[in-house]
Amino acid sequence: MMKIDINLSTKRRRRSIVPNMVAIGLVLLAAAYTWHNVELYRFNRSQITLLGEQLTRLDKTLEAKGSSVPTATREDIKLLTEEVNYINRLIAREAFSWTELLTSLEKKVPKGVSIVQISPEFETRTIKVSGMAKSKKEVLRLVGRLGRSDEFSDVFLLRHEDVIKKDAGEESFVTFDVSAKYVSGEML
C-alpha cells in the first residue's frame, strides 16, 4: 500500500518580516514608556521628599517663633470671604451638569415645541428658556409640565408672541420665554 499525503494549503507559507518588525517596534515602544514612567516616578518622589523637608523646616520655624502669628483684621476676613464666595461660584459653574438639565427639559417638552435658547443664572438658581411652538396651547402645556415636575419650581411664562410668516403661505407660530427655578441641579 502506498501512503498518500494530502496538502490542503494552496500557497506555500511565506516568511514575512513585517509581523516580526511590528512586534519588535511595540516592544521598544513599551520599553520607552516604562523608562519614562520610572524616571517620572523618581522625579516626583524627589519632589515629594523636598517638599517634606521644607514643611519640617517651616514647622520648626513656626515653633521657634511661638504664637507671634499676626491675627486677621475684619477687612482681611471680609476680603477672604469674598474671594472664597467668588471661587465657589466659579466651581459651581464648572460643575453644573448640563446633561442633567437637558435630560430633564427633554422629558417635559411636548411635541410641537422647540427650545431655542437656555440661559442659566447661577446666583438665583433660575433658568430662562426661549423657544417656538405651533400654538399657545403647546406653550401652556410646557409651562404646566415644568410646573408639575420635581426638577423645576416657580415656573412663569414671561413672554409670548404670535408670528406669521407671509412669504411661506401664512404659516404661523408662537415665540415664548419661560422662567423657572432649577431645583435638581447643583447651581449656587
Side-chain angles (χ1 to χ4, degrees):
M1 244 197 211
M2 227 168 140
K3 187 175 180 185
I4 299 175
D5 288 331
I6 299 174
N7 185 0
L8 297 177
S9 65
T10 57
K11 292 183 182 179
R12 288 181 140 197
R13 181 173 177 253
R14 290 183 359 188
R15 299 193 102 199
S16 176
I17 196 166
V18 174
N20 291 337
M21 294 304 280
V22 169
I24 290 171
L26 290 175
V27 168
L28 290 175
L29 185 64
Y33 277 125
T34 302
W35 177 80
H36 174 72
N37 284 336
V38 167
E39 290 298 316
L40 195 59
Y41 174 77
R42 285 183 188 163
F43 175 76
N44 287 338
R45 189 174 181 109
S46 67
Q47 291 295 322
I48 289 171
T49 305
L50 183 67
L51 288 173
E53 291 171 358
Q54 288 177 348
L55 281 175
T56 55
R57 280 196 307 257
L58 183 61
D59 285 341
K60 288 178 183 176
T61 305
L62 287 176
E63 287 176 7
K65 287 186 176 184
S67 63
S68 64
V69 177
T71 58
T73 64
R74 290 188 187 265
E75 289 179 20
D76 292 337
I77 293 172
K78 183 180 177 184
L79 286 174
L80 196 58
T81 303
E82 288 174 1
E83 286 181 29
V84 167
N85 289 338
Y86 176 74
I87 291 170
N88 284 339
R89 285 192 303 272
L90 287 178
I91 290 170
R93 287 181 184 173
E94 291 298 319
F96 176 70
S97 175
W98 280 98
T99 306
E100 186 179 329
L101 172 65
L102 294 174
T103 302
S104 299
L105 270 175
E106 183 181 24
K107 291 177 184 175
K108 306 300 181 259
V109 175
K111 289 183 180 179
V113 175
S114 297
I115 302 295
V116 176
Q117 182 178 4
I118 302 169
S119 306
E121 293 181 25
F122 295 96
E123 292 179 16
T124 59
R125 298 181 54 101
T126 60
I127 61 167
K128 181 181 174 185
V129 177
S130 301
M132 300 184 310
K134 289 183 178 180
S135 67
K136 291 177 192 173
K137 183 178 179 180
E138 299 299 326
V139 174
L140 294 176
R141 186 174 293 147
L142 171 67
V143 171
R145 285 183 179 182
L146 291 176
R148 288 188 299 275
S149 72
D150 294 334
E151 295 96 357
F152 301 97
S153 68
D154 300 334
V155 181
F156 298 104
L157 178 61
L158 300 175
R159 178 194 67 81
H160 72 281
E161 180 181 345
D162 291 322
V163 178
I164 299 173
K165 280 188 165 182
K166 294 182 180 178
D167 59 338
E170 297 296 320
E171 185 178 317
S172 67
F173 57 93
V174 178
T175 60
F176 64 89
D177 293 331
V178 174
S179 172
K181 273 199 174 177
Y182 182 51
V183 296
S184 180
E186 295 295 324
M187 297 193 306
L188 289 179

